[in-house]
Amino acid sequence: MNYGTMKSYDIANGPGVRVSLFVSGCRHHCKGCFNPETWDFQYGRPYTEETERELLDALAPDYIQGLTLLGGEPFEPENQKELVKLLRKVRETYPMKDIWCYTGYLHDVDLIPGGNVYTDVTEEMLSYLNVLVDGEFVEAEKDISLPFRGSRNQRIVQLKG
């Protein structure tokens, strides 16, 4: 898996101060996407053990509320395999931090058994998330007044408290 960037101090992609990982690879190709360079699975740098250590260290301060995954597309099958391992470590190391994930896929359509991107690790990956923001960005429904979403069709799905 590759990633485009990691932000150690992000206040735009979930509540509080967060660490955000922008993964590479996305098949949605939404018109008006704010991050089209991440559509390419080869964009950015390889995600390595060193990257993981850096991310886990960035989560350590008490003022960091949690982790946000976005991209690109975290739920592309190629990305799920690596991200589920990261999420497992984040939950073990920082059980009180929250985890948000942005996906263009729909929670109740694509991420269920038989769904477009359902894999053998999808359910485990979802089990670590507090919040899933789902749905493709739709330029015709763009609304900059919405908290933590880009377009009105996108949903904020609370998965755990």
Side-chain angles (χ1 to χ4, degrees):
M1 179 180 83
N2 280 10
Y3 71 102
T5 191
M6 181 191 325
K7 293 184 178 180
S8 299
Y9 307 100
D10 185 354
I11 58 170
N13 296 299
V17 181
R18 315 187 63 74
V19 174
S20 293
L21 180 66
F22 292 77
V23 301
S24 296
C26 182
R27 292 182 174 91
H28 299 293
H29 299 189
C30 301
K31 183 179 179 187
C33 175
F34 80 103
N35 218 3
E37 62 276 5
T38 63
W39 295 350
D40 180 352
F41 283 87
Q42 302 309 311
Y43 175 75
R45 294 172 284 207
Y47 180 85
T48 64
E49 287 182 22
E50 182 181 323
T51 309
E52 184 174 275
R53 277 193 302 278
E54 183 181 335
L55 191 146
L56 290 169
D57 288 347
L59 283 166
D62 289 340
Y63 61 85
I64 299 292
Q65 183 166 331
L67 170 67
T68 299
L69 298 177
L70 59 171
E73 173 57 67
F75 275 97
E76 293 294 2
E78 298 88 333
N79 292 335
Q80 289 185 46
K81 303 274 190 236
E82 195 63 44
L83 290 175
V84 75
K85 293 185 248 176
L86 167 64
L87 294 177
R88 191 180 305 129
K89 285 184 181 173
V90 170
R91 273 284 170 242
E92 290 168 359
T93 310
Y94 305 109
M96 302 309 291
K97 306 274 183 181
D98 64 18
I99 302 174
W100 281 48
C101 182
Y102 285 78
T103 180
Y105 293 109
L106 296 175
H107 177 248
D108 52 354
V109 175
D110 302 304
L111 303 178
I112 60 171
N116 288 336
V117 291
Y118 184 84
T119 72
D120 60 330
V121 298
T122 302
E123 287 181 33
E124 183 182 0
M125 191 166 156
L126 287 167
S127 77
Y128 298 127
L129 303 179
N130 295 87
V131 174
L132 182 73
V133 180
D134 79 347
E136 291 186 2
F137 171 76
V138 176
E139 193 169 49
E141 296 193 42
K142 182 177 179 177
D143 185 344
I144 61 170
S145 71
L146 296 170
F148 309 124
R149 296 178 287 160
S151 58
R152 287 183 298 279
N153 64 295
Q154 294 174 310
R155 305 180 299 180
I156 297 176
V157 181
Q158 191 79 35
L159 298 179
K160 66 168 65 172

